[in-house]
């Protein structure tokens, strides 16, 4: 794609699950913010500020549009990343409104650890649910009564999706629980899984979505009633007296401020808007090319008896280990050939290390920037090694 | 294991880096960064925690990732070799550190950094060592290594105790036949064949030590674990000393004085002659000639010659050995007890 033509000859980036490469239009948008209207958003009246406000507002609208969610019900707040988003919610949820906290075994440490911390803080029991091999959950097997459920809708090591997400969300709500979805890995290439889902909150990272480093919380307005004010400060209030304050988030118009303490990363938010606009216009042929690329690479790896794939099926994100080869060493060797891939447990230690007992893995995560020649090169180098 | 080895290697290399850093400060920065990482990994390992992407991977990966691309089949054997090498490095370095600590403790507690063979320690005082038998195999050596620790720790309390010459029931010869009342008592354990004992004796004599103390000379012929004497004629000299002292008090001093201070017509000290030249018969003959010169009659000399083989003399020597080696845990002589302390090595006037 022309948007990534800054990539050097022979450089193969396979770590989109960590952070995707940014298309030129996103880089241009950020540059434009810094060079043409660098200003504090949502608090200044001068020309540059007004322009920033417009773009930030547009970015919030684009997030909801991308997720097919209704602005009347949902609010978009910005933060640092998915982990931060989930923690911001969990750390402020009222303990007496819930009976337990639940997560699943295949989670990234982001939900896995934050639910532990929530359990420690509130004294509520924590339950770790099993996920089927296809990523779904046996919703009927669990009691979601007044539960806080934090789970992903796509895994970060093999891309498996929460296929019965609608059923799960419905069951949780029916039992009086709430669900926070970690959509970090779904947003770029599998957003259909989370579109229109009536979750109580969806957290994701813009930097896995071809946008700059930024966290996003899309949350249902009702959630505010279940929260205490635990993280407050600048940009959040309409009035302050000696011992009290009036949160701006009380009004729908400024509800997003509930999670936006202090100045935000305005340039990054502007960049997110540009990324979403670009993403929504990516031609079908490019998506097809991505699918072809990862399918080809998956099939190549699957064809080797020495390669043990975690994936059950092709996905833009695939993890594996090679018999007799240390994955970190393999990653290092690939790096020497300008192939950038992640190694280790990808912050999913519990499942990959303790449940599955895998050795450290190599992860290839592809993106729209990958070219067919990238795949050829990886196949060639990997073929030589294994 | 690799990270522990790496940490040790880095610590050693650190000395050289510190010198290099004087000229190129950047080297120091990158070195300390690596050292911190290695230490972090080591600390985790020590607490039985995982060190997934620690220093170990960095070291091995940088070494083997090039090989992986060119000769993938070499990676596994090379990886095993690196692991084995690192284990060897760790074992050797840990052993070296422990041995160094043991040697320092032994030097402090026993006066010699080598417990089994004190003469092999150049850091200790100048002595004639009382060596134990050398281990003959690995198992013995390992066992000895551990028992030496025990010996060192056992000797710790001795460093803090007060020694009194009168407390030990030695068979001795007095320099002053009638000990002078009021003078402090000193015990001097010596081997007639030991050159350091000789030097010590000469120094004491010159400095008037024998006038300031009631000195009790304890003749002691150093033996190894197999019963062999360190100096070939020491046994016969000691026997003659004890026997002649029984005939006449002070007679034995003539023997030791000649050995320690006398020399033959060629200017060779008698100690050297006794140690290197004289046979047992020649040694006995020489001693008897000194006794005669000192006024011993022929029948007295004849009696002495008979007495040297009496069990009574052997018992005296055995009793002294028990006190020296087991009660005092002496690793070398001359050893003296005076002024509340035990002093091993060449005597120096304080």
């Amino acid at each position: 794609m022309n948007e990534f033509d800054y990539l050097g000859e022979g450089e193969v980036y396979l770590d989109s699950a960590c952070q995707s490469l940014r298309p030129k239009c996103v880089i241009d948008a950020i540059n434009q913010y810094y060079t043409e209207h660098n200003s504090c958003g949502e608090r200044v009246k001068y020309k540059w500020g007004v322009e920033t406000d417009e773009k930030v507002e547009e970015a919030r609208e684009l997030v909801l549009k991308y997720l097919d969610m209704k602005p009347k019900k949902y609010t978009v707040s910005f933060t640092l990343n998915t982990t931060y988003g989930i923690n911001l919610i969990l750390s402020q949820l009222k303990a007496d409104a819930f009976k337990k906290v639940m997560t699943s075994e295949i989670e990234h440490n982001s939900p896995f650890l934050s639910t532990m911390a929530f359990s420690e803080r509130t004294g509520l029991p924590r339950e770790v649910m099993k996920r089927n091999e296809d990523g779904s959950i046996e919703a009927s097997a669990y009691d979601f009564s007044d539960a806080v459920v934090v789970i992903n809708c796509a895994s970060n090591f093999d891309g498996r999706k929460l296929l019965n997400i609608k059923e799960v969300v419905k069951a949780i709500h029916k039992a009086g629980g709430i669900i926070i979805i970690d959509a970090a890995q779904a947003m770029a290439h599998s957003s259909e899984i989370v579109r229109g889902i009536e979750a109580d909150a969806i957290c994701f990272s813009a930097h896995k979505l071809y946008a700059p480093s930024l966290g996003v919380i899309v949350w249902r307005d009702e959630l505010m009633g279940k929260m205490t004010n635990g993280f407050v400060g600048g940009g959040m209030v309409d009035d302050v007296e000696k011992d009290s304050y009036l949160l701006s988030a009380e009004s729908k118009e400024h509800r997003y401020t509930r999670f936006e303490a202090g100045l935000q990363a305005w340039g990054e938010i502007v960049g997110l808007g540009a990324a979403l606009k670009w993403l929504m216009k990516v031609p079908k042929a490019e998506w097809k090319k991505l699918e072809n690329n990862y399918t080809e690479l998956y099939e190549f790896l699957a064809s080797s008896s020495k390669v043990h794939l975690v994936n059950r099926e092709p996905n833009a994100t695939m993890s594996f280990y090679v018999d007799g080869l240390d994955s970190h060493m393999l990653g290092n060797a690939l790096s020497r050939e300008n192939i950038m891939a992640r190694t280790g447990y990808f912050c999913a230690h519990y499942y990959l290390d303790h449940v599955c007992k895998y050795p450290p893995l190599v992860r290839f995560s592809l993106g729209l920037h990958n070219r067919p020649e990238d795949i050829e090169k990886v196949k060639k180098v990997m073929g030589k090694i294994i | 294991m690799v990270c522990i080895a790496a940490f040790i290697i880095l610590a050693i290399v650190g000395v050289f880096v510190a010198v290099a850093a004087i000229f190129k400060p950047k080297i120091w920065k990158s070195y300390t960064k690596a050292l911190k990482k290695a230490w972090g990994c080591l600390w985790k390992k020590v607490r039985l925690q995982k060190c997934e992407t620690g220093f170990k991977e960095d070291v091995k990966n940088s070494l083997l990732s090039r090989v992986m691309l060119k000769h993938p089949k070499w990676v596994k054997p090379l990886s095993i070799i690196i692991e084995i090498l690192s284990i060897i490095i760790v074992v050797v370095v840990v052993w070296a550190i422990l041995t160094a600590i043991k040697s320092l403790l032994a030097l402090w507690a026993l006066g010699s950094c080598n417990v089994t063979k004190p003469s092999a320690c150049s850091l200790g005082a100048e002595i004639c060592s009382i060596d134990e038998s050398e281990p003959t195999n690995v198992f013995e050596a390992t066992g000895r290594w551990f028992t030496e620790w025990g010996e060192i720790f056992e000797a710790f309390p001795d460093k803090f105790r007060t020694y009194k010459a009168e407390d030990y029931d030695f068979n001795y010869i007095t320099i002053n036949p009638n000990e002078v009342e009021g003078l402090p008592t000193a015990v001097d354990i010596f081997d007639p064949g030991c050159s350091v004992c000789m030097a010590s004796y000469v120094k004491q004599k010159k400095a008037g030590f024998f006038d300031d103390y009631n000195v009790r000379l304890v003749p002691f012929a150093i033996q190894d674990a197999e019963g062999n004497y360190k100096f070939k004629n020491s046994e016969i000299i000691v026997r003659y000393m004890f026997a002649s002292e029984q005939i006449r008090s002070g007679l034995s001093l003539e023997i030791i004085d000649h050995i320690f201070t006398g020399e033959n017509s060629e200017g060779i000290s008698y100690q050297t002659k006794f140690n290197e030249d004289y046979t047992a018969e020649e040694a006995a003959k020489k001693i008897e000639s000194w006794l005669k010169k000192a006024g011993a009659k022929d029948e007295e000399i004849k009696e002495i010659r008979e007495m040297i083989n009496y069990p009574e003399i052997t018992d005296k020597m055995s009793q002294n050995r028990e006190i020296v080696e087991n009660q005092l845990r002496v690793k070398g002589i001359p050893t003296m007890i005076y002024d509340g302390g035990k002093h091993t090595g060449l005597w120096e006037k304080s």
Side-chain angles (χ1 to χ4, degrees):
Chain A
M1 277 180 104
N2 288 338
E3 288 292 327
F4 302 101
D5 60 9
Y6 56 81
L7 262 175
E9 182 71 26
E11 286 178 331
V12 183
Y13 183 75
L14 296 180
D15 200 15
S16 295
C18 186
Q19 65 171 19
S20 47
L21 290 185
R22 279 69 174 200
K24 281 198 296 189
C25 62
V26 171
I27 298 165
D28 291 343
I30 300 169
N31 281 337
Q32 194 185 15
Y33 164 78
Y34 284 119
T35 56
E36 294 178 22
H37 59 98
N38 179 58
S39 56
C40 291
E42 295 163 351
R43 52 199 18 93
V44 297
K45 309 288 180 216
Y46 49 80
K47 196 171 78 175
W48 287 359
V50 172
E51 193 173 347
T52 299
D53 284 353
E54 281 172 5
K55 290 190 172 170
V56 169
E57 187 54 34
E58 187 187 23
R60 293 188 204 277
E61 289 166 8
L62 282 164
V63 169
L64 290 178
K65 189 180 170 190
Y66 185 75
L67 283 172
D68 195 18
M69 297 179 113
K70 292 175 183 134
K72 275 187 183 175
K73 277 188 178 176
Y74 285 91
T75 296
V76 175
S77 299
F78 298 113
T79 180
L80 285 176
N81 47 48
T82 307
T83 299
Y84 221 86
I86 293 171
N87 273 284
L88 268 178
I89 299 171
L90 289 181
S91 64
Q92 297 181 89
L93 279 180
K94 288 174 183 168
D96 57 7
F98 304 97
K99 284 184 185 159
K100 65 174 166 181
V101 62
M102 300 170 82
T103 189
S104 85
E105 60 186 1
I106 67 164
E107 301 300 328
H108 183 280
N109 286 336
S110 166
F112 208 76
L113 300 189
S114 57
T115 50
M116 276 188 208
F118 178 78
S119 173
E120 284 164 15
R121 175 175 73 84
T122 60
L124 296 175
R126 175 173 173 269
E127 190 175 348
V128 179
M129 295 180 282
K130 283 195 82 67
R131 295 281 282 260
N132 296 325
E133 285 195 352
D134 64 0
S136 63
I137 287 175
E138 292 297 333
S140 58
Y142 296 99
D143 176 11
F144 296 116
S145 304
D146 298 324
V148 179
V149 182
V150 191
I151 45 172
N152 68 40
C153 60
S155 110
N156 72 322
F157 50 83
D158 64 358
R160 76 177 78 165
K161 299 179 195 78
L162 181 59
L163 292 175
N164 61 338
I165 188 168
K166 281 184 184 166
E167 183 199 347
V168 171
V169 171
K170 201 173 166 187
I172 292 167
H173 284 159
K174 196 177 172 187
I178 65 164
I179 177 166
I180 300 164
I181 293 177
D182 167 6
Q185 295 298 328
M187 290 300 283
H189 309 133
S190 319
S191 58
E192 70 285 346
I193 193 83
V194 76
R195 275 189 188 143
I197 295 297
E198 300 249 311
D200 296 272
I202 295 169
C203 300
F204 67 90
S205 298
H207 43 268
K208 300 183 198 299
L209 186 63
Y210 301 95
S213 293
L214 189 72
V216 186
I217 307 170
V218 181
W219 54 290
R220 217 181 163 104
D221 293 352
E222 286 93 324
L223 197 61
M224 217 165 96
K226 293 178 170 128
M227 291 168 61
T228 55
N229 300 331
F231 203 88
V232 288
M236 293 184 75
V237 290
D238 285 341
D239 190 24
V240 181
E241 292 192 43
K242 189 188 171 205
D243 295 313
S244 64
Y245 53 85
L246 176 64
L247 282 178
S248 307
E250 295 293 337
S251 68
K252 173 67 183 169
E253 192 191 351
H254 295 115
R255 190 139 294 160
Y256 58 83
T257 60
R258 184 63 187 77
F259 292 113
E260 292 184 4
L263 274 186
Q264 298 302 302
W266 309 113
E268 282 71 11
I269 297 171
V270 169
L272 170 63
L276 287 168
K277 276 190 213 168
W278 169 79
L279 204 55
M280 287 191 269
K281 284 181 188 165
V282 169
K284 277 186 180 172
E286 292 298 327
W287 291 109
K288 185 68 189 163
K289 190 178 83 185
L290 172 63
E291 190 182 334
N292 289 343
N293 282 343
Y294 70 67
T295 304
E296 189 181 341
L297 191 53
Y298 174 86
E299 284 170 355
F300 165 77
L301 293 171
S303 68
S304 168
S305 59
K306 283 185 174 178
V307 175
H308 298 268
L309 275 153
V310 177
N311 296 54
R312 293 172 70 242
E313 56 187 29
N315 191 284
T317 299
M318 61 194 92
S319 302
F320 62 94
Y321 68 91
V322 180
D323 272 341
L325 286 185
D326 180 277
S327 291
H328 295 299
M329 200 188 298
L330 177 56
N332 204 297
L334 291 171
S335 172
R336 288 186 187 280
E337 293 289 315
N338 279 332
I339 298 169
M340 272 64 81
R342 182 84 181 271
T343 56
Y345 289 120
F346 327 120
C347 295
H349 299 80
Y350 171 67
Y351 183 71
L352 296 175
D353 189 5
H354 297 284
V355 176
C356 298
K357 314 273 184 211
Y358 287 128
L361 303 163
V362 178
R363 181 179 71 186
F364 290 160
S365 52
L366 283 68
L368 289 163
H369 63 278
N370 285 118
R371 305 156 289 200
E373 55 265 37
D374 292 352
I375 309 307
E376 284 311 311
K377 181 174 179 179
V378 177
K379 282 166 65 178
K380 192 178 163 194
V381 174
M382 283 295 291
K384 204 160 66 175
I385 294 171
I386 60 178
Chain B
M1 215 56 174
V2 171
C3 76
I4 299 172
F7 177 75
I8 293 165
I9 292 166
L10 278 172
I12 295 164
V13 172
V15 178
F16 300 100
V17 171
V19 177
I22 296 168
F23 305 101
K24 270 198 167 182
K26 268 189 177 177
I27 292 176
W28 181 250
K29 207 175 173 186
S30 56
Y31 171 78
T32 49
K33 197 178 163 188
L35 190 69
K36 277 179 192 167
K37 201 169 181 182
W39 170 250
C41 179
L42 175 66
W43 184 232
K44 279 185 179 176
K45 293 265 183 187
V46 165
R47 290 178 293 162
L48 304 175
Q49 291 177 345
K50 281 195 174 183
C51 179
E52 185 203 330
T53 52
F55 196 71
K56 172 183 170 179
E57 281 73 26
D58 290 356
V59 173
K60 264 174 78 172
N61 291 349
S62 63
L63 291 171
L64 295 178
S65 56
R66 285 170 205 268
V67 180
M68 186 181 268
L69 291 166
K70 288 183 180 170
H71 308 285
K73 286 185 179 172
W74 294 6
V75 172
K76 206 170 180 179
L78 282 174
S79 178
I80 293 168
I81 290 170
I82 290 173
E83 287 287 349
I84 292 170
L85 277 176
S86 63
I87 289 169
I88 292 170
I89 290 170
V90 169
V91 169
V92 167
V93 172
V94 168
W95 171 82
I97 290 169
L98 286 175
T99 304
I101 292 169
K102 194 179 80 167
S103 301
L104 286 172
L105 288 174
L107 185 63
W108 175 74
L110 297 167
S112 171
C113 52
N114 190 320
V115 180
T116 303
K117 203 175 179 189
S119 57
C121 175
S122 54
L123 295 173
E126 206 182 338
I127 54 166
C128 292
S129 67
I130 303 170
D131 296 341
E132 293 172 39
S133 60
E134 295 279 358
T136 51
N137 57 52
V138 181
F139 298 108
E140 251 184 61
T142 311
R144 176 66 60 84
W145 195 84
F146 285 103
T147 52
E148 283 178 358
W149 278 100
E151 221 175 306
I152 293 164
F153 287 122
E154 263 182 27
F156 277 10
D158 294 350
K159 290 297 289 180
F160 304 102
R161 57 180 287 200
T162 305
Y163 288 87
K164 272 179 79 182
E166 296 86 347
D167 288 350
Y168 299 95
D169 193 16
F170 280 116
N171 296 291
Y172 59 88
I173 293 145
T174 51
I175 292 272
N176 305 312
N178 300 310
E179 292 191 343
V180 182
E181 206 174 322
L183 281 185
T185 305
V187 162
D188 185 354
I189 306 160
F190 70 97
D191 185 316
C194 167
S195 60
V196 188
C197 298
M198 181 174 79
S200 215
Y201 179 89
V202 172
K203 279 190 169 205
Q204 287 167 357
K205 199 174 177 183
K206 273 189 186 165
F209 184 79
F210 298 146
D211 302 323
D212 298 336
Y213 289 82
N214 287 321
V215 179
R216 298 175 177 181
L217 294 177
V218 179
F220 181 83
I222 300 173
Q223 273 178 289
D224 62 19
E226 281 76 43
N228 303 313
Y229 287 95
K230 192 175 185 109
F231 305 102
K232 68 173 183 180
N233 285 314
S234 283
E235 184 198 8
I236 200 163
I237 298 168
V238 173
R239 285 183 180 278
Y240 265 99
M241 284 183 78
F242 279 129
S244 55
E245 195 62 16
Q246 276 183 238
I247 297 297
R248 196 199 315 157
S249 182
L251 196 56
S252 64
L253 290 174
E254 290 296 329
I255 303 171
I256 203 61
D257 207 58
H258 272 93
I259 292 173
F260 280 169
T261 60
E263 51 187 40
N264 68 0
S265 55
E266 293 162 338
I268 300 168
S269 82
Y270 279 118
Q271 187 185 59
T272 308
K273 293 293 286 180
F274 272 78
N275 284 347
E276 295 174 9
D277 293 343
Y278 294 157
T279 60
E281 291 75 27
E282 287 169 335
K285 213 172 166 185
K286 181 52 82 180
I287 292 168
E288 286 173 11
S289 72
W290 290 334
L291 291 173
K292 194 167 185 175
K293 248 188 196 171
K297 293 171 186 157
D298 287 344
E299 53 271 29
E300 284 178 324
I301 291 170
K302 191 183 168 201
E303 195 182 345
I304 290 169
R305 196 182 303 137
E306 282 167 9
M307 277 173 71
I308 60 167
N309 294 318
Y310 284 0
E312 190 191 344
I313 301 293
T314 307
D315 288 349
K316 281 185 176 182
M317 292 171 75
S318 299
Q319 279 167 23
N320 282 356
R321 181 174 312 286
E322 160 63 22
I323 298 168
V324 169
E325 292 182 3
N326 299 327
Q327 292 182 33
L328 285 170
R329 281 191 274 267
V330 167
K331 289 284 168 192
I333 55 176
T335 290
M336 297 182 70
I337 298 172
Y338 64 95
D339 292 348
K342 183 176 78 176
H343 312 272
T344 296
L346 186 65
W347 180 85
E348 295 289 351
K349 191 177 180 184
S350 54

